[in-house]
Amino acid sequence: MSDYLLEMKGIVKEFSGVKALDGIDLKVHPGEVVGLCGENGAGKSTMMKVLSAVYPYGTWDGEILWEGKPLQAASIRETEDAGIVIIHQELMLVPELSVAENIFLGREITNGGFLDYEAMNAEAARLMAELKMSHVNVAMPVSHYSGGVLQLIEIAKALGKNAKLLILDEPSSALSQTETEILLDLIRGLKHRNVACVYISHKLEEIEAIADTVTVIRDGQFIGSAPMSELTIDKIINMMVGRELTEKYPHEEHTIGDVIFEVRHINCYDPLNPQMKKVDDVSFQVRAGEILGIAGLVGAGRTEMASAIFGYYKGPHSLEVYLNGEQISVKDPEAAVKHGICMVPEDRKRHGIVPLLGVGQNITMAVLPRFTQGGLINEAAEFATIRGEIDRMGIKTASPVLAIASLSGGNQQKAVVSKMLLANPRVLILDEPTRGVDVGAKYEIYKLIYELAKQGIAIIMISSEMPEVLGISDRVLVIGEGQLRGDFVNDGTLTQEKILTAALTRRQMAA
Ligand SMILES: Nc1ncnc2c1ncn2[C@@H]1O[C@H](COP(=O)(O)OP(=O)(O)OP(=O)(O)O)[C@@H](O)[C@H]1O
Ligand SMILES: [Mg+2]
């Protein structure tokens, strides 16, 4: 018998004639953590969808051996029964169902023919407690929660399934540092129970921390596989991009002008629990050409703040917005875009894209009138713009008319950024702009941010990646528990520690 739990050999997967996977191998021992690395669009998610039979046997070529025997699964059900459990990159929770109902979706506990809510709630609560998420009310609809909690619910759902191999596709992109630590500890615990794991992440520090072995793929090709002990992050990057990446952050001179944008007294309350304040009287100004980083822990209220400014916060809220000294009303995103206030949202799937429309249609969506003459769309002009954007951002797509949902996660993100840039913003809010984006493409996005700053656009960048905030911001605001807790000029003396300390230091109540 083979001592591998899993052997994938020479996997080939085509989408309408284009090879997304071109003969890839992947091997996993029982209890081994394999880090799967590669740029956006390299084929990581596709490889895992082949394994879990999202793409059933017969829709790809090559061979999968599971515990030494050929695996020819026709459905996810079959691979789950075999012990292969996948947590997808894009979350699959049903917002209207409760946390417990989601965790037990498709394998509900019944008693005498009826759903046994008591048993499901108890087991769900146990799983959430294992993830140190005891404060989550498992009877509440999932829509009540956001960010890291959703990701952890998805993980709890997988834990309930008795996996021999757990596949985590970008599990930490919505997690805070603490939540990520919880997750990594959990994987170490599973490892002791001989559960293996394929861990996909663009955060290579996590790969370094958790992986026994690293497999790198590029453009659908197998590049190499080696024990982590023989690798470094720089070596992995080198294998991923095929060249050295020496600089992580571009440094480009840009002039900072006068204050062009100001918000005063942003207050937001929880939509379901209006007693609870999410954003507590935050005011700030941004100058033309200034890159204002907004740091804080995940869940500090930064996304709520940004959506209030952009006119789509769902709960009770109030704020004053000033553009060039004049108060304006931003009642919805359309009004915001008209005033030149644009936003790239955090939750791409919920707010950023229309999944079934083409890549191109998604890119030009916000500026269609520009291509319309006498009620007709000038398709040639629109197409030229789309082509230009796809080139400028390096969006990997076989064709601009492909549904955007078929692009890899990182490439969808580039398309969303592109869409907002076309709207010629004066103020651009970027909420976690590099989430799920590979190292090379990150650099491109930073360069773009500098380019926009040079044009005098005021940039507000929310990011949970401290090195990124420190790497490109001119000034950094720190938000903690909904309050503004720090305002620092990023003059080279600012550190992660200072930011964290500020985030955790409760503001003195005014006398
Ligand atoms: N359903 C589909 N139809 C057409 N092309 C697809 C489909 N799914 C994936 N592709 C293409 O296959 C390639 C690999 O995509 P995949 O999602 O596996 O990349 P990835 O390595 O997971 O990237 P990321 O880091 O951005 O998540 C991409 O070029 C993508 O556009
Ligand atoms: Mg992917």
Side-chain angles (χ1 to χ4, degrees), residues 264-269 279 281-282 308 313 315-320:
R264 289 188 203 155
H265 310 301
I266 310 178
N267 282 291
C268 297
Y269 297 84
V279 181
D281 200 31
V282 173
Y313 185 69
H317 66 284
S318 59
L319 75 162
E320 295 165 23

Side-chain angles (χ1 to χ4, degrees), residues 361 364-365 367-386:
Q361 283 170 295
T364 51
M365 196 151 50
V367 294
L368 265 190
R370 200 181 294 169
F371 306 106
T372 314
Q373 286 155 343
L376 286 178
I377 294 181
N378 179 344
E379 284 186 20
E382 187 191 359
F383 196 71
T385 301
I386 292 170

